[in-house]
Amino acid sequence: MAAMRRLLQQLQPVLAQQAALRRALHIRRLHSPFPLAAASASPPAPAPAAHSPSPPPSLLPRSTGSLLPASAGAVVAAAQTDNARNARSLDVPLSLQLSRTSDCFASSSSTLLHGVAAPWAHWTTTPADDMVLMLAGANVAVYVLWRLADPNFALGPSMIWLDTYTGGRLHTLLTNALSHVDLRFMVDHFMISLDNFKSLRLHTLLTSAFSHKDANHLFHNMFGLYFFGSSIARTFGPGFLLQLYVQGALLGSAFFLTEMAFLAPQKQGFGGWNTPALGASAAVNATVLLYIFMYPTNLLYLHLFIPLPAALVGAYLIGADLWRVKKGNSRVSGSAHLGGALVAALVFAEMKGWI
């Protein structure tokens, strides 16, 4: 017994030291925002240097005199980290590699790409693909309004069958819709024209970029937005894609009005100075061409069948639009497309630090 007592007396300081160490680790876990990291045996990292607080979130991006959001560099770095974590083969065509990012943009010398506290970064937490779907959904919704505004829409065979199937309730719904939305309303508020501009319906500069009367026109624009817009949104964030879409739409509308005012024939009717236009082509063109500027050697399929380097596809698109402007009287507005192309060129130049 005496030997056991002496052994316990010798071990008592060691046990007390271990108990004190356990209490210290428990306190660190309680006060650390990362309990598992706080329990590490490594010495704590030095406190970060004090910095000024980030500006508060804002519903609209503050004007910086720039086309690029100030936190794009941080978004690129985060995207590259995520891509490194989920690395995959790059030897695949466009349809399988649209989300790939490029190292060259993270090392851009543009100061705008190195900021990390721009208000736009807090404006939306919408996932990248959801932003693309939201833009596409807005375009589809306006297309439905065009269908409802058409008096012949309710007289189609399919609508008559649906009306019979629903017991006449569909006819009542369409009648109520037509009392609020008609073709005059859609032309005044969802088409861009010199007449609308002179009448100060300036919202049509943007609303026309969500407007399609033809299902084929809608499909082709949304097809391009989905594939190329998804890549841009995953690289730079959903807010960046939204800004790119809006800027492409606005400059495309401005280019179209300029063409109508100075280049179009001074006559009434189609092809004349007051020809109206609609469609998301300028906004989608800005998205497509920014992708092409970023990845000029990627393989794209022209008209879905002809494999070409992205740079050649971009040259074809811009050349075709220049030819449309020169020829005039085209049902496709080359000037609006060129407005979107200019937005893409300016954004890319700012990425590279050229402007």
Side-chain angles (χ1 to χ4, degrees):
M1 291 295 293
M4 182 64 70
R5 191 178 297 111
R6 284 194 300 271
L7 180 60
L8 289 175
Q9 289 175 351
Q10 293 174 357
L11 290 176
Q12 188 173 2
V14 178
L15 294 175
Q17 196 174 26
Q18 290 180 347
L21 179 60
R22 283 195 297 271
R23 284 195 299 272
L25 290 175
H26 179 67
I27 291 173
R28 288 176 64 188
R29 290 191 187 99
L30 290 178
H31 292 280
S32 171
F34 306 102
L36 293 178
S40 172
S42 59
H51 60 279
S52 59
S54 299
S58 172
L59 289 179
L60 291 175
R62 297 177 184 173
S63 175
T64 60
S66 165
L67 290 170
L68 268 181
S71 62
V75 176
V76 174
Q80 289 178 329
T81 303
D82 183 65
N83 285 348
R85 189 182 301 114
N86 302 284
R88 58 173 67 92
S89 173
L90 298 179
D91 296 327
V92 290
L94 167 70
S95 59
L96 299 179
Q97 64 169 358
L98 284 175
S99 64
R100 190 180 78 176
T101 58
S102 173
D103 292 340
C104 67
F105 301 107
S107 60
S108 169
S109 59
S110 172
T111 57
L112 294 172
L113 285 177
H114 292 88
V116 293
W120 83 273
H122 308 287
W123 180 69
T124 178
T125 57
T126 305
D129 289 345
D130 287 356
M131 175 58 73
V132 175
L133 295 177
M134 286 171 59
L135 290 172
N139 280 270
V140 171
V142 177
Y143 171 76
V144 172
L145 288 179
W146 277 107
R147 295 295 89 215
L148 293 176
D150 185 357
N152 297 321
F153 178 65
L155 302 178
S158 58
M159 298 309 297
I160 293 175
W161 180 85
L162 284 173
D163 187 49
T164 304
Y165 181 79
T166 59
R169 287 189 291 271
L170 182 61
H171 177 75
T172 303
L173 176 64
L174 292 177
T175 302
N176 291 335
L178 284 172
S179 65
H180 297 88
V181 179
D182 57 14
L183 288 177
R184 183 73 260 170
F185 174 85
M186 298 302 294
V187 170
D188 285 346
H189 297 284
F190 289 95
M191 296 190 80
I192 183 65
S193 67
L194 282 177
D195 183 57
N196 278 343
F197 185 75
K198 292 177 180 178
S199 301
L200 298 183
R201 290 189 282 267
L202 303 183
H203 56 279
T204 56
L205 292 168
L206 181 60
T207 57
S208 61
F210 291 88
S211 183
H212 301 80
K213 291 179 65 176
D214 180 69
N216 188 51
H217 187 199
L218 173 68
F219 172 78
H220 281 91
N221 277 337
M222 294 306 99
F223 183 84
L225 177 65
Y226 178 77
F227 284 104
F228 295 94
S230 296
S231 175
I232 297 297
R234 290 169 189 162
T235 303
F236 298 111
F240 182 92
L241 174 64
L242 180 60
Q243 284 189 326
L244 182 67
Y245 187 100
V246 170
Q247 290 162 357
L250 293 177
L251 198 57
S253 294
F255 270 45
F256 173 77
L257 292 177
T258 301
E259 180 190 13
M260 293 297 101
F262 297 104
L263 299 178
Q266 298 300 308
K267 66 176 184 178
Q268 296 294 330
F270 176 77
W273 66 273
N274 201 32
T275 300
L278 77 173
S281 301
V284 173
N285 208 42
T287 305
V288 172
L289 285 174
L290 179 58
Y291 178 92
I292 289 174
F293 294 153
M294 291 167 58
Y295 310 113
T297 60
N298 276 13
L299 188 65
L300 302 184
Y301 287 90
L302 185 63
H303 302 306
L304 301 181
F305 295 106
I306 307 172
L308 291 172
L312 289 181
V313 175
Y316 168 81
L317 294 176
I318 295 174
D321 290 327
L322 289 171
W323 172 251
R324 292 186 182 105
V325 173
K326 182 179 183 303
K327 183 179 66 171
N329 201 31
S330 172
R331 292 193 173 274
V332 178
S333 175
S335 58
H337 289 188
L338 291 174
L342 179 59
V343 168
L346 291 174
V347 171
F348 180 71
E350 199 163 6
M351 285 179 179
K352 301 292 287 184
W354 297 338
I355 58 175

